[in-house]
Amino acid sequence: MKQLNKPTDNLGGLIKIWLVPPDAVSSLTGGTLTLHSTDEVHEIYCSSGSISFTEPMEHARAGILYKPQIKGFIPKDSPEVEEAINAMAGRKYLGVFLDGNEQYKVCGTVAIPLRVQFDLDTGADTPDRNGHSILLSGAQRNKSVFIAKPF
């Protein structure tokens, strides 16, 4: 008999996210992500409670597809944030994240990385949030994989 037992703990949400360019990856095998360089890896700060990961499964003609999405909110529009976003816009990445259970996962592959999108919203009034929403998304044949601490 196969069982999924009740976990001893389970914390939601994400703690950190990183965008890893495919050309920085040496290998991704056996639960280990090996990078030959971290120079172009972007660690993204997002407001507490704004970052999440979903991975819906879809039945397609070609078989099962998984559609991972990492979402978050980068607070405060500034010249530094704009410069970083301009450097990342239009490129594709693997998404690495640390979840609330202190587990690392990677979504996307070197062959099929994910797209990144940024949307700025200053809000309409002083108490509104000012900053960029980030979305890293795509489609892949396999679920995202757990990895050992990559950095």
Side-chain angles (χ1 to χ4, degrees), residues 17-132:
I17 60 175
W18 294 265
L19 301 185
V20 178
D23 58 1
V25 177
S26 295
S27 69
L28 176 55
T29 57
T32 301
L33 174 65
T34 306
L35 305 175
H36 59 78
S37 172
T38 58
D39 292 346
E40 296 298 317
V41 173
H42 296 272
E43 181 177 344
I44 310 290
Y45 172 81
C46 291
S47 298
S48 178
S50 76
I51 49 178
S52 64
F53 172 71
T54 59
E55 190 173 52
M57 182 177 75
E58 182 178 289
H59 295 277
R61 286 185 190 172
I64 293 175
L65 286 178
Y66 296 93
K67 296 196 167 186
Q69 292 188 342
I70 297 174
K71 297 178 184 178
F73 185 78
I74 304 165
K76 190 178 180 183
D77 189 27
S78 69
E80 295 80 19
V81 171
E82 183 178 315
E83 182 180 343
I85 286 173
N86 286 340
M88 291 183 276
R91 295 183 64 195
K92 293 185 177 185
Y93 294 92
L94 282 75
V96 174
F97 61 85
L98 175 63
D99 70 14
N101 296 307
E102 297 187 5
Q103 299 283 327
Y104 289 90
K105 266 190 148 177
V106 62
C107 52
T109 66
V110 172
I112 306 173
L114 307 178
R115 295 175 305 279
V116 65
Q117 175 181 324
F118 299 95
D119 295 314
L120 173 63
D121 186 354
T122 63
D125 201 359
T126 304
D128 293 338
R129 293 193 318 175
N130 173 326
H132 294 84

